[in-house]
Amino acid sequence: PQEKYLPAMIKESDDIISLLPNQGFLPDYKSFCWNDLRGTFRCLPGAYIAGVLKCGTTDLYAKLEWHPDIVRPPAGKENMYWPRSRVGRKAGLTQEGHRPKETFEVYTDRMTPDDMKFRSNKDRAVILDGTPVLLEEHIGWGRRFPWANQPPYTNADLLHFVSPQAKIIAMVRDPTERLWSDYLYFRNGETRNPETFDKGVEDEITRFENCLQGDDLRSCCFSEQNSIKIQLSLGIYVCFIQDWVENFGENLLVITLEEYSLHMAGTLKRVFDFLEMGVDIEQLETFLEGSQRENARREKDILQGEMLERTKIRLQEFYQPYNVMLARYLQDKKFLF
């Protein structure tokens, strides 16, 4: 069950509401652009790759940039405004231990192209934000709303409030393999190997199952007690995708890394069609033949080999019912993994 309290979203969004256009966005732009009360030209992305971490989003973004109508924001592929810096982040980034709240004005400055090429292509150009934690990360919600057992609103609710016609792309993969890749990649100097992973997985599954004894699945998925070292709940995709489906409906496209890897040209064409961009499939295939994989597994991670067989079996058993839930919810067997 979702326990939403949207007035909390409005209360935290004064700077957003005050800067949004009263008369709507400029109709001749495909991305969401306007002139504010001071005459400053501002834009929001027309599309987002919302996640998930270690599911191929970096490579997807790089391949989509092949199309001339895809525009990388001046700030780059990823911007953590919505999930993190909008509300501050407890990460030791200032003397007080919190990242200062970034305003909506600053975010739009970072998203707005300042070249004439964008404006000359305004009816086709789509600014693409590739923040891969947008789907599921809601930093500090428990500290901000101590009376709630799950976020009173999500990034999906807020993004739909701001730009309801935005296109959202989510990329997922076999959650067991995603977790192993995630564990190796975000090691922060720690020693990580199949044995440490096995112990961490067992501890986190036990903790998560204990959570379910006293609370519902959604609350446990969003719990700030979840480990950031073993991001187990991140692979329970149905917990997070539901909010995006309910807000964006047909403006949400969910693809898998598996289908992308096996049928890259066809999957990319489907994404371009979703974004309403024409594409010559032969030219796309020629481009892909000469391209390299972005952000592939590093050599030092490859040397670790695979996770232990018992760990894989344990994770597959853990994720299986949630994969079924996702497949039923999206009515597509490809999510059974």
Side-chain angles (χ1 to χ4, degrees):
Q2 299 186 65
E3 300 174 9
K4 297 292 183 71
Y5 185 68
L6 296 185
M9 178 182 76
I10 302 300
K11 185 177 180 180
E12 286 194 329
S13 305
D14 288 348
D15 64 317
I16 297 176
I17 295 170
S18 64
L19 196 62
L20 286 173
N22 293 326
Q23 304 300 320
F25 298 112
L26 297 173
D28 48 349
Y29 281 82
K30 193 171 182 179
S31 291
F32 304 107
C33 301
W34 74 102
N35 294 302
D36 68 16
L37 295 177
R38 294 172 296 182
T40 302
F41 180 68
R42 301 189 178 279
C43 290
L44 287 170
Y48 297 80
I49 300 177
V52 174
L53 280 173
K54 305 312 297 175
C55 288
T57 58
T58 298
D59 192 72
L60 174 63
Y61 194 104
K63 299 301 189 291
L64 291 178
E65 281 193 291
W66 164 79
H67 199 291
D69 293 341
I70 292 290
V71 178
R72 177 185 285 250
K77 166 184 172 282
E78 299 178 17
N79 188 289
M80 298 297 177
Y81 172 75
W82 300 106
R84 294 182 185 174
S85 53
R86 180 180 63 87
V87 293
R89 183 186 183 195
K90 190 174 183 180
L93 298 178
T94 69
Q95 289 183 345
E96 293 75 27
H98 291 76
R99 174 182 293 173
K101 180 178 178 180
E102 181 179 300
T103 66
F104 186 59
E105 180 176 352
V106 170
Y107 173 69
T108 58
D109 286 342
R110 291 161 61 86
M111 291 295 106
T112 305
D114 58 2
D115 56 73
M116 292 307 298
K117 180 180 177 182
F118 171 72
R119 298 198 188 203
S120 65
N121 194 33
K122 60 187 178 183
D123 59 334
R124 297 187 301 277
V126 173
I127 302 169
L128 181 62
D129 184 325
T131 304
V133 298
L134 185 59
L135 193 81
E136 89 295 332
E137 187 173 296
H138 301 81
I139 202 78
W141 73 264
R143 170 171 45 84
R144 286 158 32 230
F145 308 108
W147 45 266
N149 69 343
Q150 56 184 256
Y153 72 94
T154 67
N155 297 331
D157 296 312
L158 182 56
L159 211 57
H160 185 263
F161 172 76
V162 171
S163 49
Q165 299 304 314
K167 300 277 190 173
I168 311 297
I169 303 162
M171 194 172 189
V172 299
R173 70 187 287 192
D174 179 338
T176 295
E177 296 298 332
R178 193 218 69 80
L179 188 60
W180 175 234
S181 178
D182 182 297
Y183 180 74
L184 291 178
Y185 188 82
F186 298 104
R187 61 176 63 206
N188 297 320
E190 296 180 0
T191 297
R192 296 191 176 185
N193 54 49
E195 289 73 26
T196 58
F197 183 61
D198 182 70
K199 183 181 185 307
V201 164
E202 193 58 45
D203 290 346
E204 187 62 7
I205 287 179
T206 299
R207 192 208 59 76
F208 194 86
E209 290 178 340
N210 286 339
C211 178
L212 291 175
Q213 295 300 312
D215 222 328
D216 59 69
L217 176 62
R218 180 178 171 83
S219 297
C220 291
C221 285
F222 282 98
S223 172
E224 295 201 310
Q225 300 303 311
N226 291 337
S227 170
I228 60 172
K229 183 183 296 186
I230 302 288
Q231 299 194 72
L232 182 78
S233 62
L234 186 48
I236 307 177
Y237 306 124
V238 69
C239 275
F240 310 106
I241 284 178
Q242 182 179 358
D243 287 275
W244 296 88
V245 171
E246 293 182 356
N247 276 282
F248 288 94
E250 293 184 355
N251 278 347
L252 170 70
L253 176 67
V254 185
I255 63 176
T256 70
L257 175 60
E258 288 79 3
E259 66 180 316
Y260 176 76
S261 298
L262 287 173
H263 309 288
M264 189 172 291
T267 304
L268 284 170
K269 185 179 185 308
R270 188 150 61 91
V271 175
F272 285 128
D273 288 345
F274 171 70
L275 296 174
E276 301 177 81
M277 294 180 177
V279 62
D280 184 308
I281 192 66
E282 292 185 358
Q283 291 182 7
L284 176 59
E285 289 173 341
T286 299
F287 158 71
L288 293 176
E289 288 174 2
S291 67
Q292 295 182 337
R293 197 65 177 260
E294 299 289 332
N295 204 26
R297 186 171 292 184
R298 300 169 300 194
E299 182 66 24
K300 63 180 180 180
D301 295 339
I302 294 173
L303 292 175
Q304 290 291 345
E306 300 299 325
M307 72 185 86
L308 299 177
E309 188 63 22
R310 66 171 181 259
T311 317
K312 179 178 289 189
I313 293 172
R314 184 78 165 102
L315 284 169
Q316 288 172 339
E317 290 174 346
F318 173 81
Y319 282 125
Q320 193 269 341
Y322 305 123
N323 293 340
V324 171
M325 290 172 64
L326 180 64
R328 288 176 176 171
Y329 184 68
L330 296 179
Q331 299 182 355
D332 195 328
K333 292 181 179 180
K334 74 183 179 186
F335 298 110
L336 294 174
F337 301 108

